[in-house]
Amino acid sequence: MNYARFITVASASRRPSPIRVLTEILSRAPKSVISLATGSPNPNMFPFKTAVITVENGKTIQFDEEIMKRALQYSQSAGIPDLLSWLKQLQVKLHNPPTLHYPPSQGQMDICVTSGSQEGLCKVFEMLINRGDNILLNEPVYSGTLEALHPLGCNMINVSSDEHGMIPDALKEVLSRWKPEDSKNPKKNTPKFLYTVPNGNNPAGTSLTSDRKKEIYELARKYDFLIIEDDPYYFLQFNKPWAPTFLSMDTDGRVIRADSFSKVLSSGLRIGFITGPKPLIERIVLHTQVSTLHPSTFTQLMVSQLLHQWGEEGFLAHIERVIDYYRKQKEALLAAADKWLHGLAEWYAPTAGMFLWIKIKGISDVKKLIEEKAIKKEILMVPGNVFYIDSSAPSPYFRASFSLASPEQMDLAFQRLAELIKESI
């Protein structure tokens, strides 16, 4: 893989921050080293001394004074080593990336912790996108991604999708305007990457099948583009077995995978992780060195201690409990939809995630209904137009979340919505 052709001039210009490098050297140095180098504040002057956090099984995570000093101090830009090593083992267990033992320059699997996967993705986008670049995605798309992409001035090319996600034949059709060898000619502006949420796409709730992923990956090889596998709902898949990931089939080192603990451990702790080819992960870490410096040491230590306490089996047992909760929530929302919206709207049962994507019949644009009338009835949902490249275009869709509301509240919300639809048709 020629990674240089994907990287922007700004990203290629990034150099290691000398102070950050010293911080990393100091973290590995023996205690006998006398440091007059870094500007790390003296932790004895921090007011926080100890902490005890109780987890759901009744066990505790304890920060004594020494651990607390570490938790409150600067740390490595790529993430603290004890968390990184645990995450690397997890990725090997779940995905067994073919690139694990590749030479570093040829796309060896690497990993870094980010302040939530969204921060990591923004840095990936800024690493790859020059103004005018072509990128591939499939609408509807998470609005946060669209808002991250719009200012970068890329051309977002929509690939048609259905209830099983992006359609490979539609991708072939889009790519047919280029020849495979055009990727070697910068003037041809072939697509630089394909962005996808393969499981529980937000908002549509669709998931790519294993066969579709294989077809898409082969097209990526043929036309030499990267795949950004944004998978925040990987741990919220309702059906077994889970389909193989793009990372698991990445023999070339062309997949950048974003994972998140926001849906299963905590959204407020802001812990995500990016896995991908070492030459690209290094660029992300260089960006972190001069932006956020590093993800929160405190939250990393907290999560690391929990994961080491649980082990992989304990973590995956927790995941099963989380999935069981969201499956029941999904079934409750579907029951409410069947009860009140039958004949008024249509939808597919989501395969993962926490959203139901609903199309109202007989109303071409539901924006006013959802944003104005529904709020007056004290029900809050998201109009579908915000999930499209052209958010001004009319949309008959809206997104309903089943993460927080009780089954009784879902039932009442859809009862009120049904009344509004009948009034509006």
Side-chain angles (χ1 to χ4, degrees):
M1 290 285 293
N2 174 21
Y3 295 110
R5 83 170 192 85
F6 294 103
I7 296 170
T8 65
V9 172
S11 183
S13 302
R14 295 193 185 280
R15 300 179 302 180
S17 164
I19 300 298
R20 288 271 79 208
V21 172
L22 279 171
T23 300
E24 304 212 6
I25 291 171
L26 184 61
S27 71
R28 298 190 299 267
K31 291 192 183 296
S32 57
V33 169
I34 300 168
S35 173
L36 303 178
T38 65
S40 300
N42 192 311
N44 292 321
M45 295 297 99
F46 297 152
F48 311 100
K49 298 304 174 187
T50 63
V52 178
I53 298 151
T54 305
V55 293
E56 60 183 358
N57 59 8
K59 291 185 179 179
T60 59
I61 295 167
Q62 299 197 24
F63 283 13
D64 60 22
E65 288 200 25
E66 282 308 304
I67 295 174
M68 184 62 92
K69 285 177 183 178
R70 183 186 170 201
L72 298 175
Q73 192 55 277
Y74 293 127
S75 58
Q76 297 92 332
S77 292
I80 61 173
D82 25 356
L83 179 57
L84 278 174
S85 63
W86 201 97
L87 294 175
K88 185 173 182 179
Q89 289 174 2
L90 181 71
Q91 297 299 66
V92 171
K93 178 183 176 70
L94 296 176
H95 312 290
N96 193 23
T99 56
L100 182 62
H101 300 297
Y102 282 24
S105 63
Q106 293 177 27
Q108 181 186 83
M109 181 198 117
D110 200 5
I111 190 166
C112 67
V113 182
T114 55
S115 300
S117 64
Q118 181 79 14
E119 190 232 3
L121 285 165
C122 280
K123 286 177 173 165
V124 169
F125 296 151
E126 290 181 29
M127 169 178 68
L128 299 176
I129 295 173
N130 292 302
R131 193 162 290 276
D133 280 349
N134 290 317
I135 66 163
L136 305 162
L137 43 70
N138 61 292
E139 295 175 313
V141 186
Y142 172 52
S143 57
T145 298
L146 291 174
E147 296 312 317
L149 291 171
H150 272 303
L152 300 177
C154 55
N155 301 317
M156 290 179 258
I157 302 171
N158 177 48
V159 181
S160 298
S161 58
D162 58 18
E163 70 268 32
H164 303 297
M166 184 180 285
I167 302 167
D169 283 344
L171 179 58
K172 284 179 193 171
E173 179 65 29
V174 168
L175 292 169
S176 68
R177 66 184 79 168
W178 293 278
K179 298 172 183 174
E181 58 269 24
D182 286 347
S183 64
K184 294 180 174 63
N185 183 352
K187 292 181 180 177
K188 297 292 185 178
N189 199 14
T190 57
K192 192 168 264 187
F193 65 78
L194 178 147
Y195 169 87
T196 181
V197 178
N199 294 298
N201 171 49
N202 177 3
T206 55
S207 297
L208 278 169
T209 61
S210 179
D211 287 343
R212 285 196 178 187
K213 286 180 184 173
K214 288 173 185 173
E215 284 190 72
I216 290 168
Y217 188 81
E218 286 308 311
L219 287 167
R221 299 188 76 185
K222 184 177 180 180
Y223 289 89
D224 195 24
F225 56 81
L226 302 174
I227 295 174
I228 299 178
E229 182 174 35
D230 181 12
D231 212 354
Y233 305 103
Y234 177 76
F235 296 118
L236 289 184
Q237 296 182 69
F238 301 126
N239 305 316
K240 290 282 183 74
W242 293 353
T245 59
F246 282 110
L247 184 66
S248 73
M249 55 184 75
D250 185 23
T251 52
D252 293 348
R254 64 174 69 252
V255 173
I256 303 171
R257 178 179 170 82
D259 281 284
S260 174
F261 283 148
S262 290
K263 313 300 183 286
V264 294
L265 294 184
S266 162
S267 51
L269 289 181
R270 308 309 300 138
I271 297 289
F273 46 109
I274 306 290
T275 309
K278 192 174 184 68
L280 298 181
I281 297 297
E282 286 175 342
R283 296 285 111 198
I284 298 168
V285 174
L286 290 177
H287 191 170
T288 299
Q289 287 183 357
V290 294
S291 55
T292 52
L293 298 190
H294 59 81
S296 164
T297 317
F298 190 102
T299 58
Q300 286 186 85
L301 271 171
M302 186 172 153
V303 168
S304 181
Q305 283 207 21
L306 176 67
L307 295 175
H308 280 92
Q309 187 183 100
W310 274 347
E312 285 178 0
E313 283 190 18
F315 171 70
L316 293 174
H318 171 74
I319 294 302
E320 288 302 319
R321 290 191 293 273
V322 174
I323 290 171
D324 187 55
Y325 168 79
Y326 282 104
R327 184 185 289 113
K328 290 173 181 172
Q329 289 289 100
K330 174 199 70 168
E331 289 166 357
L333 191 65
L334 287 172
D338 285 333
K339 180 178 176 181
W340 297 109
L341 301 180
H342 181 73
L344 299 174
E346 54 189 41
W347 57 88
Y348 297 114
T351 52
M354 50 180 63
F355 305 109
L356 185 61
W357 184 238
I358 300 176
K359 179 182 181 181
I360 297 178
K361 295 179 179 180
I363 302 177
S364 60
D365 190 10
V366 302
K367 183 176 167 65
K368 187 173 182 180
L369 176 73
I370 298 299
E371 284 189 342
E372 298 177 21
K373 295 179 180 179
I375 289 175
K376 289 178 183 175
K377 291 277 190 179
E378 296 186 321
I379 45 176
L380 195 60
M381 293 160 297
V382 186
N385 64 292
V386 304
F387 301 104
Y388 288 86
I389 297 165
D390 179 8
S391 60
S392 65
S395 171
Y397 291 92
F398 72 92
R399 189 193 79 177
S401 168
F402 48 83
S403 61
L404 292 175
S406 68
E408 294 76 19
Q409 288 173 320
M410 296 177 197
D411 187 81
L412 182 58
F414 278 178
Q415 181 185 4
R416 291 174 180 173
L417 179 62
E419 292 168 1
L420 283 175
I421 295 171
K422 289 171 184 174
E423 290 171 9
S424 302
I425 292 174

